[in-house]
Amino acid sequence: MNVNEQITTFLKSNLLDKYLIGQTTASETEEVEHYINTYPEVKKVYEKLQDKLELSAQINAVNAPKNALDNILNTLEEDTPVVPMQPNKPKRKWFSLAIAASVAALLFAGSSAYLFVQNSNLSNENQVIVDEIFDLRSDIAKNNSRLTDVLEQFKQLNNPETEKYVLKGNRSAKDLKTVAYINPKEKKSMIDVVSLPQLPDDQVYQIWADIQGKMVSLGILTEADRKLQEIPYTEDALGLSISVEPKGGSLERSSDTPVAEISLKLND
């Protein structure tokens, strides 16, 4: 089990909740304090739960009225007749003890119910915090992956072996502009879609590589692709061209006059 799984299992065990309300055994206390002192994630969850428990206690705290005890004693004195104590009739003593025991039982039941509700709320909040931590880690991993891709692209762009080719549209597509980056040594190709004039819904732009007079499709270009991206590398390509094709693309270039084209000089 890796560290992340250990932390998740621990947080889901509710040991933190028991630790906060002083219900852990000696071995459980040692385990909880080990996790708090070793893993910052656990310490953060512990501190947050501690703050919420203290706040909840302050909000729900109710001060007893100042004269509550005096009022109870006065009521007992007014409503209870005084009976001389007789050795063979100790009923009054047991009756008073029964009342005290009932009051204590009610207070204990109320406290238990309150702690149960608080424990349930803390458990739910604990799970939410765990989910938030792993969502954050997932976002960090995705951002690191994107950063790695960007650094790799930057490395390729700055490679002395990488050639840059700008494809500009002709009269049929004056605003069209794309930039191709090709590295024959690394056998990698990238394209940056700078601008594409809008087409009818039933047409698309498609890029081609000229390999000894045969046009090989490298994919469809769209406005959504206006970022640096990899395209298939074609060995011994003589040129690149962009044509207008039916929606979905074509297996063969349908026009002998593309809207943009450029010759490649990779062997020079």
Side-chain angles (χ1 to χ4, degrees), residues 21-178:
I21 61 176
Q23 296 297 316
T24 50
T25 63
S27 61
E28 289 174 341
T29 299
E30 184 178 354
E31 180 183 0
V32 171
E33 291 177 350
H34 166 72
Y35 272 85
I36 292 173
N37 295 327
T38 305
Y39 302 106
E41 297 96 332
V42 176
K43 184 176 181 181
K44 180 179 178 182
V45 173
Y46 168 70
E47 291 175 347
K48 187 171 183 179
L49 292 178
Q50 192 177 42
D51 292 341
K52 289 190 176 183
L53 184 59
E54 291 176 356
L55 178 61
S56 178
Q58 292 174 6
I59 292 175
N60 291 280
V62 177
N63 295 324
K66 295 181 179 179
N67 301 321
L69 181 59
D70 293 337
N71 292 338
I72 293 173
L73 294 176
N74 292 334
T75 301
L76 289 175
E77 291 177 357
E78 292 173 0
D79 297 340
T80 306
V82 178
V83 178
M85 296 293 294
Q86 298 180 12
N88 60 342
K89 292 184 179 181
K91 294 181 180 179
R92 181 63 57 193
K93 179 179 180 181
W94 289 109
F95 182 70
S96 300
L97 291 175
I99 292 176
S102 298
V103 172
L106 288 173
L107 290 174
F108 177 77
S111 299
S112 299
Y114 172 77
L115 289 175
F116 176 77
V117 173
Q118 291 300 314
N119 185 49
S120 298
N121 292 336
L122 287 173
S123 297
N124 293 334
E125 292 173 358
N126 190 0
Q127 185 59 46
V128 170
I129 294 172
V130 171
D131 293 340
E132 289 176 351
I133 290 174
F134 280 94
D135 287 343
L136 180 60
R137 287 186 173 180
S138 177
D139 291 340
I140 291 174
K142 289 178 182 177
N143 289 335
N144 287 338
S145 177
R146 290 171 186 164
L147 179 59
T148 300
D149 292 341
V150 171
L151 291 175
E152 180 62 26
Q153 290 176 347
F154 184 77
K155 179 181 175 182
Q156 288 296 326
L157 292 181
N158 287 276
N159 191 318
E161 300 292 335
T162 300
E163 298 288 344
K164 176 181 176 180
Y165 300 91
V166 179
L167 285 83
K168 294 184 179 181
N170 56 22
R171 293 182 180 179
S172 301
K174 294 181 180 180
D175 296 329
L176 185 150
K177 182 178 180 181
T178 62

